[in-house]
Amino acid sequence: MILSVVGARPNFVKMAPVVREISRRKLPHMLVHTGQHYSPEMSDVFFRDLDLQKPDMNLGAGSGSHASQTAEIMKAFEPVCAQAEPRIVIVAGDVNSTAACAWTAAKMQVPVAHIESGLRSFDRAMPEEINRVITDHLSSLLFATEPSARKNLLREGVDAAKIFDSGNTMIDSLIRGLEKALTRRAWERYGFREKSYALLTLHRPENVDRPSTLLELNRAVCQIASRIPVVFPIHPRTLQRIEVLGAEWSGVTLTEPLGYLDFLSLTAGSAFVMTDSGGLQEETSALAVPCITLRKNTERPVTLTQGTNRLCAVHEKKIIEQAFRILEEPRPVPTAIPLWDGGAAERIVSILEKFLAEGDSFGRA
Ligand code: UD1
């Protein structure tokens, strides 16, 4: 049996195409939700929008410090894994659920497959970077979304026979959902015209947890909003910080977190995006929407070289300059990033099937 793990918002988007493909091939399968994200708008709506089957089990881990959240997930996952006796555990991305379940499975000698393997920001101050490194080094099958990932893994001594250039399952979800998303015209709900508003998301601890940084972002965004309206769906972590900060967001429309299709609609219809999200750098690149990533680094360099992404660390003047420059520039021309073609899940599940069929002889041609 194959056991797939999801836990937090980006996992649902990355795993949905894989779970659907496993079920299309009628392979024995179990879907476990760790419960890292639990609010309906952070979890349930994604299952609906992505046609993702209901989880067979929810571990109910919930929020907490890194150590306690990771520990809760591991404690709850171990007996589930012991009882289900999976032949392989699939994890995706870089959240605490990913590393916790990979670690648990590896210690029980269950092979782990990691979707979105090999990305590196080279910044260990990001909890996600630690999760990526741990998960990759515990995995038997490593599915890479972009060329930098393979290079990073080889440099770290990972056996080349375990690495597969699969493409990007997040883009599988985007390609599948785009038509439906566009018919929603989510921008009209906020009174905007298509391509005449900017979209903002913020949730990284380094941007929202320190009041002085959040205030600097607030000032930059309000300046930008004096030229173009900005819509800001707010992550629960950020909402807590914004309430404490008490700053005005003039010209900015604040909304609750949105479901997958509404958010995709809002992204595709925007003039540009400002974000500190990982996935959104890829989604905007696939959609040819300009993106300012409010970070010093990215683990997704292909979005800089072949996509529409540009980095801008938190600096009031520089953010405003970048945004105003985008407004003067012609719209980017869409370019295809290799293997971001809607076929990643199919490629991944074919390799999983081969792995399960060949057992120990897998990869020893
Ligand atoms: C997590 C991931 C991050 C990912 C993000 C996507 C880790 C280390 N971080 O960050 O990589 O980009 O998800 O959203 O795994 N909360 C709710 N409802 C929920 C979930 C969380 O209100 O359903 C609130 C809680 O107060 C919680 C806080 O948000 O303490 C942060 O949640 P947590 O899962 O710890 O991290 P994220 O910031 O969501």
Side-chain angles (χ1 to χ4, degrees):
M1 183 227 280
I2 300 173
L3 192 159
S4 306
V5 175
V6 290
R9 199 164 58 170
N11 289 162
F12 311 134
V13 187
K14 292 167 195 171
M15 199 62 95
V18 177
V19 170
R20 271 197 313 273
E21 183 62 18
I22 290 172
S23 133
R24 194 182 69 78
R25 297 189 194 198
K26 301 197 172 20
L27 304 172
H29 177 249
M30 178 177 182
L31 180 64
V32 173
H33 189 327
T34 65
Q36 177 175 345
H37 283 176
Y38 44 85
S39 305
E41 70 280 11
M42 298 294 284
S43 180
D44 299 2
V45 61
F46 284 80
F47 283 76
R48 274 201 304 280
D49 281 1
L50 292 157
D51 293 325
L52 179 55
Q53 68 179 70
K54 280 213 161 54
D56 297 295
M57 180 161 293
N58 192 315
L59 306 178
S63 303
S65 69
H66 285 279
S68 73
Q69 185 176 62
T70 306
E72 286 305 322
I73 297 169
M74 291 177 79
K75 266 163 48 189
F77 186 56
E78 188 178 49
V80 171
C81 215
Q83 211 197 345
E85 295 186 353
R87 304 234 357 245
I88 192 155
V89 167
I90 314 178
V91 296
D94 55 16
V95 301
N96 285 345
S97 300
T98 310
C101 293
W103 196 353
T104 308
K107 285 210 168 163
M108 299 175 83
Q109 302 190 24
V110 179
V112 176
H114 185 204
I115 292 171
E116 195 191 85
S117 173
L119 297 181
R120 294 289 182 271
S121 64
F122 305 102
D123 177 1
R124 293 273 170 108
M126 287 178 79
E128 292 82 1
E129 182 74 353
I130 295 170
N131 291 337
R132 290 179 199 119
V133 172
I134 291 173
T135 306
D136 284 337
H137 286 267
L138 295 174
S139 294
S140 301
L141 297 176
L142 296 95
F143 295 108
T145 51
E146 61 160 285
S148 74
R150 173 180 284 278
K151 284 192 201 125
N152 294 333
L153 292 169
L154 292 175
R155 199 179 38 247
E156 291 174 16
V158 174
D159 179 356
K162 295 178 173 180
I163 309 169
F164 301 90
D165 299 307
S166 58
N168 192 328
T169 59
M170 190 169 241
I171 304 304
D172 288 7
S173 285
L174 181 148
I175 290 171
R176 183 175 189 269
L178 187 58
E179 209 181 294
K180 207 169 178 185
L182 287 175
T183 62
R184 295 197 172 198
R185 303 178 69 80
W187 51 88
E188 288 179 352
R189 270 177 244 163
Y190 307 101
F192 302 143
R193 279 178 300 112
E194 197 173 351
K195 305 281 189 284
S196 56
Y197 63 93
L199 171 63
L200 170 69
T201 81
L202 292 172
H203 76 283
R204 294 265 160 227
E206 75 260 25
N207 281 344
V208 304
D209 287 0
R210 199 178 316 130
S212 60
T213 308
L214 191 51
L215 263 178
E216 181 153 8
L217 282 163
N218 166 267
R219 287 194 301 270
V221 170
C222 290
Q223 280 283 329
I224 294 164
S226 68
R227 285 262 306 261
I228 180 167
V230 176
V231 58
F232 182 14
I234 307 179
H235 185 283
R237 170 193 284 278
T238 312
L239 183 63
Q240 291 163 12
R241 306 295 188 262
I242 281 180
E243 281 171 352
V244 173
L245 199 72
E248 284 288 314
W249 291 83
S250 54
V252 183
T253 304
L254 308 180
T255 73
E256 71 287 356
L258 300 177
Y260 179 70
L261 290 172
D262 282 341
F263 190 77
L264 178 56
S265 176
L266 215 50
T267 306
S270 69
F272 66 93
V273 169
M274 295 173 281
T275 189
D276 55 13
S277 148
L280 201 41
Q281 299 170 46
E282 298 182 339
E283 290 166 330
T284 48
S285 286
L287 293 165
V289 171
C291 178
I292 303 170
T293 295
L294 300 163
R295 287 174 43 190
K296 293 193 285 269
N297 53 47
T298 178
E299 60 289 335
R300 293 163 160 88
V302 78
T303 61
L304 300 173
T305 54
Q306 294 186 52
T308 54
N309 190 18
R310 55 192 91 191
L311 290 177
C312 188
V314 176
H315 183 289
E316 184 179 345
K317 255 189 158 155
K318 287 187 183 151
I319 298 170
I320 297 166
E321 260 170 43
Q322 292 267 18
F324 288 173
R325 196 172 311 146
I326 287 174
L327 291 177
E328 308 304 325
E329 286 172 356
R331 295 276 306 176
V333 185
T335 55
I337 296 177
L339 297 174
W340 290 20
D341 57 1
E346 236 180 281
R347 287 187 284 271
I348 287 170
V349 179
S350 293
I351 291 161
L352 284 170
E353 271 202 291
K354 196 162 181 283
F355 178 84
L356 293 175
E358 293 179 7
D360 285 348
S361 59
F362 180 83
R364 294 200 203 123

